[in-house]
Amino acid sequence: MKKIGFTVFMFFAMVLFVFPQWGHAAAGSTSIYLDGKGLELTKNGQVQNVKGNVMIPIRVVVEELGFDVDWDKKTRTITIQQSDTQLKLVVGQSTALVNGKEVKLAAAPKLVSDTTLVPLRFVGEQMGLKVNWNNEEKAVYLITPNSGSGNGTGSGENAGSGNEGQTPGQVPDNSANLANVGGISFSDNRLMIAVDKNVKPNIFKMAGPDRIVIDLPSTKFADSFSTGQLLDQTQNGYIDVTEYPDVSKVRYALFNDQPSTIRVVLDLNHAKNYELINNNDGLIIVNLNTDASTPGTAPGGNGKKLVVIDAGHGGSDPGAISITKKKEKDFNLAVVLKVQELLKQESDIDFVLTRSSDTYPTLQDRVKIANDLKADIFISVHANSGSATASGVETYYTRSESLSLAKVMHKYLVQSSGLKDRSVRSKSLHVTRETKMPAVLLECGYLSNKNDNAVLYTEDFQNRVAEGIVKGIKEYLGVK
Ligand SMILES: [Zn+2]
């Protein structure tokens, strides 16, 4: 990357919600999902629970939602802006300004090392997010308006209830409008849900552990449901699955009662693709008999993992120019060629380089190589440039399914480079965004920094970083 695009929240992350019922939740085990996708919580500060107000790093939420954030170090003021809403919060103060009006906070923003924590429920709701807490999963579900995911609230499926645009909690369900779920079963590697009205399910995958979640907005369990199968007094039940290798259990519950939403979860033994069949004929089917291969299976069926390694820039594109007039493209290629030599020794890993000499494949070409090959992972190697004082390594990802790869690769990048840890970051970059497999972009140091630049072109540094990259690849792919 020639330039860093990060400005304001480079060193602070913030978030926090106020959940009265969170007193029981072990803060460290709380997960946050944005429109069904898990968010990074471990970098830039841990989740904190302050008198029942759970404070969580907001950096990823902020980045993924695209809020503008400004941090005034002198006055310790955080300004968050989105369209016509402006929030001003001050570290240590329990009053915030919403478009200039004072609002009391349940918990004051606080600074923990270099991370700023702010009340997430407050911020989320002020910014128009819907915030749900699932006590069973100890998880927060953030739902952006019109996302079409989450638990279906606000998506207008409550025909005739006229509650669009209002806080769901203020509007009682008209239970006559709800679809009844009459039965849930699993056979022939298919989940089947019987309903008596048209239902538009929201379905998404989650990892750690792998599962497929199906939310059924505007539904309730039919009165007859519990006579046919397990449903306890808290409206929870399950089906143990033994005869199908992909699935261990089907769980179902009344996930939300305003508006009434049933959630069905397929607990998987490994990540699995699915096909949703909903012809509005009274049966919703989630079919796991899909041809798409299980993630991790290499193309060609040889059982090997396939890694695409991308040396950034090249040819007519030099990338960043170092303070000693060296070209980024040469650093990138030198490291990638060293990675190549190491990967040749790995019998369980196949690899493809997007370039192995001083040429310039377009960004589209690089992505196409990886997508056409159905690579397991994509790793792009770069060096950064910024202010003279900026120093250290960063790992970028775009899609949340790349986060776990980013964390593993970054751990080894920090270790092997010996440079400052500038953290895993989320950013919309072509090669990490358009690829279809977990993909990261490594920034291995700053060519604009005297100390970083002095080591980046040394054999020793490049060998170490190449070794780190290969260690990361092996760990992520589970290759011994
Ligand atoms: Zn670059």
Side-chain angles (χ1 to χ4, degrees):
M1 222 177 290
K2 291 178 188 171
K3 252 168 78 177
I4 41 160
F6 279 78
T7 50
V8 285
F9 34 81
M10 197 174 288
F11 288 117
F12 74 95
M14 56 193 177
V15 162
L16 164 48
F17 280 69
V18 182
F19 280 107
Q21 65 274 55
W22 275 13
H24 311 292
S29 65
T30 302
S31 307
I32 301 175
Y33 296 93
L34 173 62
D35 294 332
K37 289 182 178 171
L39 301 185
E40 176 192 10
L41 296 178
T42 51
K43 292 298 283 186
N44 294 306
Q46 292 293 326
V47 172
Q48 292 208 357
N49 188 330
V50 182
K51 293 181 200 156
N53 305 306
V54 176
M55 327 241 326
I56 323 162
I58 201 177
R59 182 175 67 93
V60 175
V61 177
V62 170
E63 287 172 12
E64 295 205 23
L65 293 175
F67 297 157
D68 285 332
V69 179
D70 195 23
W71 165 243
D72 186 336
K73 205 173 167 182
K74 220 165 121 190
T75 59
R76 313 217 302 170
T77 301
I78 306 135
T79 306
I80 306 171
Q81 182 96 35
Q82 192 200 30
S83 52
D84 53 356
T85 306
Q86 187 193 60
L87 309 184
K88 273 189 186 291
L89 300 108
V90 182
V91 171
Q93 285 189 15
S94 54
T95 311
L97 291 177
V98 180
N99 291 333
K101 273 191 187 156
E102 281 199 6
V103 177
K104 195 100 180 112
L105 295 174
K110 63 188 267 196
L111 205 57
V112 181
S113 59
D114 57 5
T115 299
T116 306
L117 301 170
V118 302
L120 179 59
R121 178 183 275 280
F122 173 77
V123 171
E125 290 186 344
Q126 291 296 336
M127 288 306 184
L129 286 179
K130 189 159 155 29
V131 181
N132 284 329
W133 166 247
N134 182 302
N135 197 49
E136 184 204 352
E137 297 185 7
K138 302 285 180 256
V140 185
Y141 290 89
L142 304 177
I143 296 135
T144 51
N146 309 317
S147 65
S149 73
N151 62 11
T153 53
S155 51
E157 275 112 353
N158 283 331
S161 62
N163 67 347
E164 276 194 59
Q166 290 187 39
T167 307
Q170 297 168 339
V171 180
D173 274 323
N174 182 347
S175 65
N177 284 334
L178 299 177
N180 285 296
V181 171
I184 296 172
S185 62
F186 192 85
S187 64
D188 197 21
N189 223 19
R190 289 180 173 90
L191 173 74
M192 280 166 286
I193 304 166
V195 290
D196 67 356
K197 279 194 181 73
N198 292 349
V199 171
K200 205 174 138 202
N202 293 313
I203 181 164
F204 50 93
K205 291 198 261 190
M206 291 188 183
D210 289 310
R211 56 211 194 273
I212 296 169
V213 178
I214 306 103
D215 282 343
L216 305 167
S218 302
T219 57
K220 65 182 176 68
F221 288 109
D223 292 337
S224 59
F225 187 95
S226 59
T227 60
Q229 53 195 121
L230 179 69
L231 190 67
D232 69 16
Q233 288 179 341
T234 63
Q235 302 271 291
N236 275 271
Y238 64 90
I239 304 164
D240 272 323
V241 177
T242 50
E243 57 278 55
Y244 298 97
D246 297 328
V247 178
S248 63
K249 202 178 223 186
V250 176
R251 293 181 281 131
Y252 43 85
L254 187 65
F255 171 62
N256 193 344
D257 58 11
Q258 285 192 333
S260 186
T261 302
I262 289 173
R263 166 166 285 192
V264 183
V265 178
L266 281 172
D267 285 330
L268 301 173
N269 293 318
H270 42 248
K272 185 81 181 96
N273 290 321
Y274 62 84
E275 173 195 16
L276 174 68
I277 303 165
N278 184 21
N279 298 322
N280 291 325
D281 56 1
L283 202 58
I284 295 163
I285 299 170
V286 179
N287 180 20
L288 301 183
N289 300 302
T290 56
D291 290 328
S293 62
T294 302
T297 306
N302 63 358
K304 289 185 178 185
K305 307 289 185 180
L306 180 67
V307 181
V308 170
I309 310 283
D310 175 48
H313 312 282
S316 58
D317 173 13
I321 305 294
S322 87
I323 49 171
T324 50
K325 301 284 181 273
K326 292 193 173 106
K327 293 174 179 134
E328 183 200 339
K329 67 175 183 178
D330 297 328
F331 167 82
N332 301 339
L333 182 62
V335 171
V336 162
L337 293 176
K338 288 172 163 41
V339 169
Q340 172 180 237
E341 288 309 308
L342 294 169
L343 285 179
K344 280 180 185 168
Q345 298 163 29
E346 297 297 332
S347 56
D348 293 329
I349 300 175
D350 279 342
F351 63 88
V352 170
L353 306 186
T354 57
R355 69 178 180 101
S356 54
S357 60
D358 188 19
T359 57
Y360 180 73
T362 65
L363 297 180
Q364 289 75 12
D365 293 337
R366 298 169 202 243
V367 167
K368 192 172 185 317
I369 289 168
N371 286 348
D372 286 355
L373 289 169
K374 296 191 168 63
D376 290 289
I377 55 175
F378 176 94
I379 293 167
S380 188
V381 176
H382 287 248
N384 217 334
S385 181
S387 73
T389 52
S391 158
V393 297
E394 295 141 5
T395 298
Y396 289 88
Y397 72 100
T398 308
R399 294 162 291 116
S400 57
E401 56 266 42
S402 302
L403 176 58
S404 55
L405 173 65
K407 287 181 180 171
V408 171
M409 295 306 298
H410 189 68
K411 177 178 75 179
Y412 286 103
L413 181 59
V414 171
Q415 266 178 27
S416 63
S417 68
L419 298 179
K420 188 179 162 195
D421 180 354
R422 290 174 60 96
S423 84
V424 171
R425 293 152 185 251
S426 153
K427 192 175 184 184
S428 184
L429 301 167
H430 187 90
V431 294
T432 52
R433 185 183 65 236
E434 302 298 327
T435 37
K436 295 198 163 76
M437 67 293 307
V440 296
L441 187 148
L442 309 175
E443 291 284 6
C444 306
Y446 274 77
L447 297 170
S448 48
N449 178 268
K450 203 172 141 222
N451 296 325
D452 286 14
N453 183 58
V455 296
L456 276 156
Y457 290 89
T458 65
E459 284 286 311
D460 174 54
F461 179 86
Q462 292 174 359
N463 281 329
R464 280 190 280 122
V465 167
E467 278 167 25
I469 289 171
V470 172
K471 279 184 189 164
I473 289 169
K474 289 174 71 177
E475 178 173 317
Y476 180 80
L477 293 175
V479 172
K480 299 280 178 226

